[in-house]
Amino acid sequence: HQMQRRTRTVKVYTEKTTDGDSDELSPHTQSASEDEIEEWQPESKAPKRQQKAQPSEKKPAVKRQAKPKEPKESKPKAPRKPVERKPRAPRAPKKQQALLEEEAGGANQTNSICDAAESQQSVRVKEERLSFIVPDGSCNDNMSRAGGGWSEGPSSSHQPYGVKKEEPEEDFTFDEPSLKRQKTSSAPQGRPTRLPTSGRGFGEDLNMNWDLIQLLSERTGVEQWVCLNISQLFREENTIPFIVRYRKEMINHMDADAVRDVQLVALAKKTQTISQTLKKEGVLTAELEQALRNCRTADELDHVYAPYKKGSKLSKARRAKQLGLESAAHALLQSPHTLDLRAWVKPGTEGLSTVEEVSTGVEQILADMIAKDGETLTHIRSLCDNSMVMLQSSVSKTALKEQQQQKEGHQGKPKDIDKFHLYCDFTCNVQRIQHHQTLAINRGENLKILTVKVNIPDRVKSDFCRWCVNIRWRPKGYAREELMKILRDAVEDSYKRLLLPLLSRSYRTKLTVSAEKESIAMFVRNLRQRLLVCPVRGRVIMGVDPGFRHGCKLAVLSPTSQILYTDVVYLHGSGGNREADKLRHLMIRYSCNTVVIGNGTACRETEAFFADLISRRFFQPLDVSYCITSEAGASIYSVSPEAVKEMPDLDPNLRSAVSIGRRVQDPLAELVKIDPKHIGIGTYQHDVSQSSLKAALDGVVQECVSFVGVDINICSETLMRHVAGLNTGRAKSIAEWRETNGPFMNRDQLRLVKGLGPKSYQQCAGFIRINPQNHLTNHSDAAGGNSAQAAQEKPAAKGKGKSKASAAVPTLPNPLDQTCIHPESYAVARSFLSLVGGSVDQMGRPELRQCVEASVKCQGLEALAETLNTTPDTLQLIIDGLTQPPGFDIRQDFEKADFKRGIVSMSDLREGVVLTGRVENATLFGAFVDIGVGRNGLIHKKYITPDKLPADQRRRSLALGPGEKVEVRVLNVDPQRGRIGLDLIRVLR
């Protein structure tokens, strides 16, 4: 494994690629002398081929390398020695020698690379690691659909960096977790932070025996300098949206999801807490402290700490150590010829009264030492990785017993075994099991319906025991047979009692974490696409919350989402004609030609009612159309404190109709009011880590709100609190300032808001828009000046530092405040405008775009950035902000609501019929598509193949997300169960 890590380190910084299998390493050789005992093998469980391969005569053994964790520089000549070595197991010695030669070459290259890194020279990124091709400005909408990077709109020039050519087949990962989007320039820009050259470097203050940045790099597959920069940015309390947009050169152009993965691990803090606890209890030894610091995963940490937890029984090893047998155990390994177990016998003392009890105590101490040894753990994991480890699930005895009692007439709620019929007799390799299968099995186990276990082959035990006795834990010197028996028993006891449960927990944890991560990624992508649906502006909309018994709730909304009228109509009773006349009167009165129907109870009947009226041209002269939208979470929102505060006089049922209508007018502004878990996205939302899910979903909401931008003078307080750098308290302070002093004239006035410090202002300023059209109509220039003056005077009287800020805050509008350009780049933007011969008044006009394009084409973006003393990424962002039209919205080219005038029913479907539909929800096992028949059809993941997808979507795990239009073929229809099977034909653009 050390050889692998060293080889991988070289791969990150060079273009050297290796052929052959680097995962299979030859076993360690052992050292032995002529008088040492023969190699021990388990009696009945050693494979026959290994017994045959054992030499009949003793041969001089070669000294083994006992400590593979030595520095790379210490073994530059390792591959020169094994010329005459003869490995004990027949495993391709030529391959081993090639790997060792590669390791030595890698070590030499690493030394030169580190020197180059210290001198800040550019190094090339290894082509194997490429995971995303940086597109030009024309692909911004595709990037957004793919859940990748964000852009304010079409760029006026191509990306300034050269991009390596990459074959799609090299890293094609269909049906695998989404790859992180990284910049793939041959000369990575933005390496302002130097890598630490000695010690533990950046994570040194964590007091662990591993380097934090190196560990993050290994786990995330991101270059170390990028991990270092991201970690530093997080320590400086920068938000992800700010980092992704305004610090691109420091993070190598990674997207928000990738940046979120590269965060400081909490393992070190947990280790410190455990160490302090054990120190207070007086049980922390130097050996135990080192074992804690060596832990790299939570499972390893729990394994070491478990015997010392409060409430846990005193472990066998600790009891034996309290009897003083630890030195005897060390003597068995270090100097077995001097160990006499009879000398440790103390008649009348429990645990030491006989030689057998002493032997048992020594065995238990050795078993504990073996189970906590880092090299031993690494070896047994490598054995398992090369074996067929299986996950098996079956019906639990509890479920069978309750089912039998139910059949016999006993009362009680039976276990719903049928829901888990796929996993009642299920076996799968842990390396091949699907994420949704893992989550389903976990759910069945939590409900006590399934019993789950990990099956590790017996060959692992035999190989492990032989390796321990003959290599890793072989006594130094001659050991009598009774001592060797103690060692063999200790190894087997350690494997069965300590290591096997650890390995099972480790596999279950690894599978669960991986499945939860992919499930949360699915939630994140679905939510992002649901939030970024293109808003329907400039229309009067009628929101309809359908129902039978309690009627259909109506809400007529103005183009600016103001409530014009609310009512309840009963469309599905005997008075349908009278209610239809009322609808016609309302729609003509308010010039409403758009109806939005919620997809809940009575949706199909309500849709049929409106479709029939439209087909009869009942609403003439209006050309009416309708759409179906998800009403998930509308009921929860209608009784929330937010809804009560916003619509205090409305009945909760009518509030849900308002919410349904607003979801089409501005999906982002409306859906941020609802807990993301209730929006109806993804699957297994109750089976994943709730804290991780909430953090990820809240992060996505923050990204979407920030990158779309908010007009600070008209947005709601609820929407404002999701802007990067703001929270509930700061949003409330901004709203109060706005109510007291009038609209904001420029971004600088945000500094006057109580509680908004320099760091918060830095994080939020670039995502806030000041549109003069939204406040000049209500306030004259004089009034605006007075309000600004009042704003300066009021904070000066309250806060200590406000008078200083107010003295420097201007009161005049700044046109740059309407753009995505950050205030820290205003000076560069003005210099650029002077350079190209433009002015601020020309922002968004074609003439300025032509001047910019001509300058960029003539001089090049990098040359212009160097002239302006800025980075190409910052200059590109400035160009986008200056050339985008006023009121630009990144959602304008995204998926739009699908309006229609007629319907078909499920009875009209036949196998082979080709239809178009819209993806409603994506899961780990397929995508649900609305084809307009009242029931969503399922495209199973096996039908979502790469050849049916656009090129820009083939690198995603499932490739389809909510809102995307698809062409499908009906495979089967089950009216009784309400299920429709679909096959994907293509994605419509």
Side-chain angles (χ1 to χ4, degrees):
H1 282 276
Q2 288 297 110
M3 293 162 61
Q4 288 176 302
R5 279 198 285 272
R6 284 193 282 270
T7 305
R8 282 200 296 269
T9 305
V10 175
K11 288 181 179 179
V12 173
Y13 294 103
T14 68
E15 289 190 357
K16 176 178 175 60
T17 59
T18 56
D19 295 325
D21 186 5
S22 62
D23 292 330
E24 295 183 4
L25 300 179
S26 299
H28 295 287
T29 55
Q30 64 177 359
S31 61
S33 57
E34 290 295 333
D35 58 340
E36 289 180 3
I37 63 172
E38 293 183 356
E39 174 179 323
W40 173 82
Q41 295 188 10
E43 294 180 359
S44 60
K45 296 186 179 181
K48 293 183 179 180
R49 60 179 183 82
Q50 293 178 347
Q51 293 175 356
K52 292 180 181 179
Q54 188 172 356
S56 58
E57 297 181 2
K58 296 183 180 179
K59 296 184 180 181
V62 185
K63 185 178 180 181
R64 71 181 179 90
Q65 298 174 358
K67 296 181 179 180
K69 294 187 177 181
E70 294 177 1
K72 301 167 188 175
E73 293 81 358
S74 63
K75 299 194 292 183
K77 296 183 180 180
R80 308 302 178 194
K81 292 183 180 180
V83 178
E84 298 181 359
R85 289 185 181 181
K86 194 169 184 180
R88 186 172 300 276
R91 287 196 186 179
K94 291 184 179 179
K95 192 174 193 179
Q96 176 189 13
Q97 185 172 350
L99 289 170
L100 293 173
E101 289 175 357
E102 180 187 351
E103 177 192 2
N108 294 332
Q109 293 181 23
T110 305
N111 294 335
S112 61
I113 288 166
C114 292
D115 296 337
E118 291 178 6
S119 60
Q120 296 296 308
Q121 294 178 359
S122 298
V123 293
R124 297 177 65 83
V125 180
K126 180 176 176 296
E127 192 167 1
E128 272 189 353
R129 295 284 301 279
L130 303 184
S131 61
F132 193 90
I133 299 179
V134 179
D136 57 22
S138 62
C139 297
N140 289 324
D141 57 339
N142 294 337
M143 291 161 54
S144 299
R145 289 192 189 98
W150 296 87
S151 173
E152 280 289 313
S155 301
S156 56
S157 65
H158 295 290
Q159 272 285 355
Y161 308 109
V163 180
K164 282 189 176 182
K165 297 299 182 183
E166 179 183 30
E167 294 297 331
E169 294 77 15
E170 289 184 2
D171 64 340
F172 182 72
T173 55
F174 193 72
D175 283 344
E176 294 295 331
S178 304
L179 292 174
K180 298 175 177 58
R181 179 191 167 212
Q182 301 179 26
K183 176 173 168 291
T184 55
S185 165
S186 59
Q189 302 292 319
R191 187 182 286 193
T193 309
R194 177 175 298 203
L195 286 170
T197 56
S198 62
R200 290 187 296 273
F202 184 81
E204 159 171 66
D205 56 331
L206 299 177
N207 203 24
M208 299 297 288
N209 291 344
W210 37 261
D211 181 19
L212 173 63
I213 301 304
Q214 182 180 357
L215 182 64
L216 286 174
S217 180
E218 290 175 0
R219 290 186 177 179
T220 60
V222 178
E223 288 83 354
Q224 287 194 32
W225 69 270
V226 179
C227 288
L228 186 59
N229 284 349
I230 293 175
S231 299
Q232 186 63 42
L233 288 168
F234 278 131
R235 288 177 71 140
E236 294 172 358
E237 299 181 357
N238 292 288
T239 60
I240 290 180
F242 178 82
I243 293 172
V244 171
R245 175 173 287 180
Y246 299 112
R247 297 293 183 264
K248 291 181 180 179
E249 68 281 354
M250 293 185 67
I251 62 172
N252 208 18
H253 287 226
M254 293 169 60
D255 62 22
D257 293 332
V259 173
R260 191 179 293 107
D261 286 341
V262 188
Q263 297 196 32
L264 296 177
V265 292
L267 183 66
K269 295 182 179 179
K270 185 177 180 181
T271 302
Q272 291 176 349
T273 303
I274 290 175
S275 298
Q276 293 173 359
T277 303
L278 295 178
K279 190 174 182 181
K280 289 180 181 179
E281 295 175 356
V283 296
L284 183 64
T285 62
E287 181 183 2
L288 178 58
E289 188 174 11
Q290 286 299 316
L292 290 171
R293 292 182 182 179
N294 287 331
C295 295
R296 287 173 169 251
T297 65
D299 276 343
E300 291 181 13
L301 188 61
D302 291 338
H303 177 64
V304 175
Y305 177 53
Y308 303 92
K309 287 183 179 179
K310 286 185 178 181
S312 61
K313 295 181 180 179
L314 199 64
S315 68
K316 295 180 179 180
R318 286 183 65 188
R319 286 199 297 268
K321 288 179 181 180
Q322 290 180 355
L323 294 173
L325 294 176
E326 189 171 8
S327 56
H330 286 289
L332 190 150
L333 298 174
Q334 302 297 328
S335 54
H337 58 280
T338 64
L339 178 61
D340 184 6
L341 297 178
R342 289 171 294 184
W344 296 84
V345 176
K346 294 182 181 180
T349 302
E350 186 178 357
L352 298 175
S353 57
T354 63
V355 176
E356 289 74 14
E357 289 185 354
V358 172
S359 301
T360 303
V362 172
E363 174 188 322
Q364 291 166 350
I365 294 175
L366 289 175
D368 184 69
M369 293 170 58
I370 293 170
K372 293 178 180 176
D373 178 63
E375 185 178 346
T376 303
L377 291 172
T378 301
H379 182 76
I380 195 170
R381 284 196 177 100
S382 67
L383 291 175
C384 290
D385 290 342
N386 295 324
S387 304
M388 294 283 288
V389 180
M390 310 297 287
L391 184 74
Q392 179 181 351
S393 68
S394 56
V395 182
S396 67
K397 294 180 180 179
T398 304
L400 291 175
K401 184 178 179 181
E402 291 187 8
Q403 190 180 48
Q404 182 64 29
Q405 290 177 349
Q406 187 68 21
K407 290 180 179 178
E408 295 175 357
H410 295 283
Q411 292 183 352
K413 187 176 181 181
K415 299 288 185 182
D416 194 353
I417 299 178
D418 292 339
K419 288 185 177 180
F420 298 91
H421 69 279
L422 293 176
Y423 306 102
C424 290
D425 186 14
F426 178 83
T427 304
C428 185
N429 191 329
V430 294
Q431 297 179 352
R432 296 175 180 270
I433 190 170
Q434 300 294 315
H435 297 302
H436 67 275
Q437 293 174 332
T438 299
L439 294 175
I441 289 173
N442 289 350
R443 178 186 290 179
E445 186 180 34
N446 292 334
L447 295 174
K448 297 183 180 181
I449 295 177
L450 299 178
T451 299
V452 187
K453 62 180 180 178
V454 177
N455 294 326
I456 298 176
D458 293 338
R459 183 176 63 84
V460 172
K461 178 184 177 182
S462 60
D463 290 350
F464 171 74
C465 293
R466 184 170 58 255
W467 177 84
C468 284
V469 173
N470 297 322
I471 300 179
R472 178 70 181 96
W473 298 94
R474 184 166 190 159
K476 295 181 179 178
Y478 177 74
R480 299 184 302 276
E481 177 58 29
E482 61 267 20
L483 298 182
M484 290 302 300
K485 183 178 185 304
I486 292 175
L487 179 60
R488 290 193 291 267
D489 291 343
V491 170
E492 294 200 20
D493 179 54
S494 178
Y495 176 85
K496 181 179 180 180
R497 182 169 57 88
L498 301 174
L499 290 177
L500 202 57
L502 172 65
L503 292 172
S504 297
R505 289 195 305 270
S506 178
Y507 275 112
R508 293 294 305 278
T509 301
K510 185 178 179 181
L511 290 175
T512 300
V513 169
S514 177
E516 287 188 354
K517 184 177 180 181
E518 184 66 8
S519 180
I520 290 174
M522 186 71 67
F523 273 98
V524 163
R525 198 184 73 204
N526 289 351
L527 178 61
R528 182 182 287 122
Q529 293 190 237
R530 183 67 61 83
L531 292 176
L532 293 178
V533 172
C534 181
V536 177
R537 302 193 185 278
R539 295 194 194 184
V540 177
I541 284 183
M542 176 183 287
V544 181
D545 183 5
F548 288 117
R549 185 176 178 182
H550 299 289
C552 297
K553 281 67 68 177
L554 307 179
V556 182
L557 307 175
S558 72
T560 57
S561 297
Q562 300 300 314
I563 302 174
L564 301 178
Y565 181 83
T566 58
D567 200 355
V568 179
V569 294
Y570 298 88
L571 307 180
H572 311 302
S574 57
N577 294 332
R578 183 178 65 256
E579 301 293 358
D581 293 335
K582 181 189 290 188
L583 287 176
R584 184 174 185 275
H585 171 73
L586 288 174
M587 301 187 78
I588 293 177
R589 175 183 173 185
Y590 293 104
S591 300
C592 174
N593 57 5
T594 305
V595 179
V596 179
I597 304 172
N599 65 347
T601 304
C603 168
R604 293 300 297 167
E605 290 76 10
T606 305
E607 180 186 11
F609 186 89
F610 276 95
D612 178 62
L613 296 180
I614 292 172
S615 64
R616 294 192 281 119
R617 303 181 181 275
F618 185 77
F619 298 110
Q620 282 189 341
L622 297 177
D623 182 17
V624 176
S625 60
Y626 70 90
C627 73
I628 308 295
T629 191
S630 172
E631 63 177 42
S635 302
I636 296 175
Y637 164 70
S638 64
V639 294
S640 67
E642 294 288 344
V644 173
K645 181 180 178 181
E646 187 178 0
M647 298 172 281
D649 300 328
L650 276 187
D651 181 86
N653 293 321
L654 296 175
R655 290 177 193 154
S656 62
V658 174
S659 178
I660 289 171
R662 287 176 174 173
R663 290 183 184 203
V664 173
Q665 285 186 316
D666 193 344
L668 180 62
E670 186 63 25
L671 291 176
V672 295
K673 303 173 185 176
I674 302 168
D675 188 334
K677 290 186 296 183
H678 301 309
I679 297 180
I681 52 173
T683 53
Y684 300 103
Q685 61 193 38
H686 301 296
D687 299 311
V688 302
S689 169
Q690 296 301 299
S691 58
S692 300
L693 177 63
K694 186 178 188 306
L697 297 184
D698 289 347
V700 172
V701 173
Q702 186 185 65
E703 293 159 25
C704 293
V705 173
S706 299
F707 287 125
V708 169
V710 298
D711 191 325
I712 198 68
N713 288 319
I714 62 174
C715 74
S716 66
E717 183 181 325
T718 305
L719 183 63
M720 197 190 310
R721 69 180 58 154
H722 293 288
V723 176
L726 301 183
N727 54 24
T728 303
R730 293 169 192 153
K732 184 178 181 181
S733 298
I734 292 175
E736 290 175 352
W737 194 98
R738 186 175 62 188
E739 292 174 4
T740 305
N741 304 283
F744 288 88
M745 303 296 291
N746 52 52
R747 284 172 172 169
D748 280 337
Q749 286 185 316
L750 289 167
R751 301 176 186 270
L752 304 177
V753 178
K754 181 181 177 181
L756 199 68
K759 192 67 183 181
S760 299
Y761 174 78
Q762 179 199 36
Q763 300 299 306
C764 73
F767 307 114
I768 285 175
R769 307 284 184 268
I770 309 290
N771 190 345
Q773 295 178 354
N774 292 332
H775 59 75
L776 290 181
T777 56
N778 299 325
H779 296 265
S780 63
D781 292 340
N786 293 336
S787 66
Q789 184 177 0
Q792 295 172 9
E793 294 173 357
K794 182 178 178 181
K798 286 188 174 182
K800 294 181 180 179
K802 297 299 181 181
S803 58
K804 179 180 178 181
S806 62
V809 172
T811 60
L812 297 177
N814 187 342
L816 293 176
D817 290 344
Q818 305 176 46
T819 69
C820 61
I821 303 172
H822 197 279
E824 66 185 9
S825 302
Y826 279 2
V828 179
R830 294 190 183 95
S831 300
F832 176 72
L833 285 172
S834 301
L835 189 64
V836 300
S839 65
V840 176
D841 298 333
Q842 295 177 311
M843 284 196 322
R845 296 181 183 175
E847 53 265 29
L848 180 60
R849 173 179 282 272
Q850 292 174 2
C851 292
V852 170
E853 290 177 349
S855 298
V856 172
K857 185 176 181 180
C858 178
Q859 301 182 46
L861 195 64
E862 291 185 349
L864 285 172
E866 188 175 353
T867 302
L868 297 170
N869 194 25
T870 188
T871 64
D873 298 297
T874 302
L875 182 57
Q876 184 65 62
L877 195 63
I878 290 172
I879 291 174
D880 291 341
L882 294 175
T883 56
Q884 286 163 356
F888 175 81
D889 192 328
I890 65 171
R891 299 172 291 174
Q892 65 187 20
D893 295 326
F894 292 177
E895 303 297 339
K896 299 179 176 62
D898 190 13
F899 293 96
K900 52 187 179 179
R901 293 173 175 81
I903 62 169
V904 293
S905 64
M906 194 169 177
S907 59
D908 297 330
L909 294 181
R910 296 290 183 273
E911 292 184 11
V913 173
V914 176
L915 301 168
T916 59
R918 182 180 296 273
V919 178
E920 284 293 313
N921 190 17
T923 68
L924 295 174
F925 51 83
F928 288 96
V929 180
D930 179 9
I931 54 176
V933 296
R935 284 279 185 175
N936 291 338
L938 173 66
I939 308 177
H940 194 273
K941 63 182 297 183
K942 65 183 178 182
Y943 298 117
I944 308 175
T945 55
D947 58 297
K948 300 176 182 178
L949 301 171
D952 63 304
Q953 290 183 235
R954 294 180 181 177
R955 298 180 185 277
R956 301 191 302 178
S957 57
L958 196 55
L960 294 178
E964 292 184 292
K965 294 181 179 179
V966 292
E967 187 177 30
V968 296
R969 178 183 293 106
V970 178
L971 294 178
N972 53 73
V973 182
D974 187 349
Q976 294 182 347
R977 303 174 68 186
R979 294 186 177 183
I980 305 169
L982 303 174
D983 179 21
L984 176 65
I985 298 178
R986 62 191 176 104
V987 178
L988 302 175
R989 289 290 175 85

